[in-house]
Amino acid sequence: MAEKKYCIKTETLAGFAKALGHPARIAIMKFLAKQDTCYFGDIHEELPIAKATVSQHLSALKEAGLIQGEIETPKVRYCINRENWQYAQQLFSEFWSMELCEKKEECCK
Amino acid sequence: MAEKKYCIKTETLAGFAKALGHPARIAIMKFLAKQDTCYFGDIHEELPIAKATVSQHLSALKEAGLIQGEIETPKVRYCINRENWQYAQQLFSEFWSMELCEKKEECCK
DNA sequence: TTAATTAATCGTTAAAACACGAACAATATT
DNA sequence: AATATTGTTCGTGTTTTAACGATTAATTAA
């Protein structure tokens, strides 16, 4: 079992960041955000990589909770998981809104 | 030379996300944000990993442009690169503020 | 029943990430 | 000159990621 070395929020935020840490996965999220239809085939067409690789990236995003898939045989419809999308958004928002130390003269440069 | 398969903003955003995609690196950023003093040793003390590994993570963050280091022999002072911090913040902000398609009944569930 | 469509999974390969101890470099101190 | 302090780099091993073609599974259509 994976023991936690860091606090849960840190782990969670890093998990979301990792999931978004590849251009293909960013592209997928952007595509899903603006599409009403979001079949696997449409996503694949949009990307310059093989089907198997697209499937892998979709799995990674699903694993991270950022998207979800629904079988509509013989197709599969994907879409953003709004609940986690919002949670991730919040974690990042908190992260970026950290106040930076203002003692510049004591820090670099 | 690495050819671009995706648009530059997508690549850049993914790059920042990737750099933040490990709990140790999130922890480092949080620590740097709230510290005035930010020597390597202080960062190392804060983390449950070996010196060499801390150094690796710092390199990754520096490579991504999120931090910068300054030698102050025999110590090294690290701090957040404010310019890129702000740029990353903006890219993420744009990303999260994408409008999601509202035709729920046509999307999953 | 057979063939076509769609997408996941399998098997593989190559590269990168992660982690560590040991060795090293650069300066300060004794 | 010898020693101590600090942090990087080296060498190594393990794990994960990324990519692909081929195979498979599930349903629909012919």
Side-chain angles (χ1 to χ4, degrees):
Chain A
M1 66 181 78
E3 42 171 316
K4 288 274 173 314
K5 288 179 166 184
Y6 304 90
C7 81
I8 184 65
K9 261 195 177 179
T10 293
E11 296 264 6
T12 307
L13 179 56
F16 284 133
K18 185 175 185 179
L20 296 174
H22 190 288
R25 294 195 291 268
I26 293 285
I28 289 172
M29 294 305 289
K30 286 184 175 176
F31 183 71
L32 288 186
K34 72 165 196 277
Q35 291 296 319
D36 341 329
T37 67
C38 33
Y39 292 115
F40 174 91
D42 303 324
I43 299 169
H44 177 218
E45 268 185 10
E46 199 72 5
L47 301 175
I49 52 182
K51 269 195 313 180
T53 309
V54 173
S55 211
Q56 257 182 178
H57 285 304
L58 288 169
S59 288
L61 288 171
K62 201 156 70 175
E63 184 79 15
L66 287 172
I67 66 173
Q68 59 200 70
E70 190 178 318
I71 297 172
E72 232 172 76
T73 345
K75 299 188 174 183
V76 176
R77 189 192 292 280
Y78 281 97
C79 64
I80 288 175
N81 180 320
R82 284 154 191 267
E83 193 176 343
N84 287 331
W85 168 274
Q86 201 184 345
Y87 183 45
Q89 184 174 20
Q90 192 204 315
L91 285 184
F92 272 97
S93 173
E94 281 177 21
F95 177 78
W96 293 116
S97 66
M98 280 190 298
E99 285 213 17
L100 303 191
C101 133
E102 282 307 329
K103 307 190 180 175
K104 286 193 188 180
E105 66 285 357
E106 290 187 30
C107 280
C108 304
K109 230 188 252 94
Chain B
M1 64 183 80
E3 42 171 315
K4 288 275 174 314
K5 288 180 167 185
Y6 304 90
C7 81
I8 184 65
K9 261 195 176 179
T10 292
E11 297 264 5
T12 307
L13 179 56
F16 284 133
K18 186 175 184 178
L20 296 174
H22 190 288
R25 293 195 292 268
I26 293 286
I28 289 171
M29 295 305 289
K30 286 185 174 176
F31 184 71
L32 288 185
K34 73 166 196 274
Q35 291 295 321
D36 342 329
T37 67
C38 32
Y39 293 116
F40 175 91
D42 303 325
I43 299 168
H44 177 218
E45 269 183 10
E46 199 72 5
L47 300 175
I49 52 181
K51 266 195 315 180
T53 309
V54 173
S55 209
Q56 257 182 176
H57 284 305
L58 287 168
S59 288
L61 289 170
K62 200 157 70 176
E63 183 79 15
L66 287 171
I67 67 172
Q68 59 200 72
E70 191 177 317
I71 297 171
E72 232 171 76
T73 345
K75 298 189 176 184
V76 177
R77 189 192 293 281
Y78 281 98
C79 64
I80 288 175
N81 180 320
R82 284 155 192 267
E83 193 176 344
N84 286 331
W85 168 274
Q86 201 184 345
Y87 183 45
Q89 183 174 22
Q90 191 202 318
L91 285 184
F92 272 97
S93 173
E94 282 177 20
F95 177 77
W96 292 117
S97 66
M98 280 190 297
E99 286 213 16
L100 303 191
C101 131
E102 282 307 329
K103 309 191 181 176
K104 286 194 187 179
E105 65 287 358
E106 289 187 31
C107 280
C108 302
K109 224 183 260 94

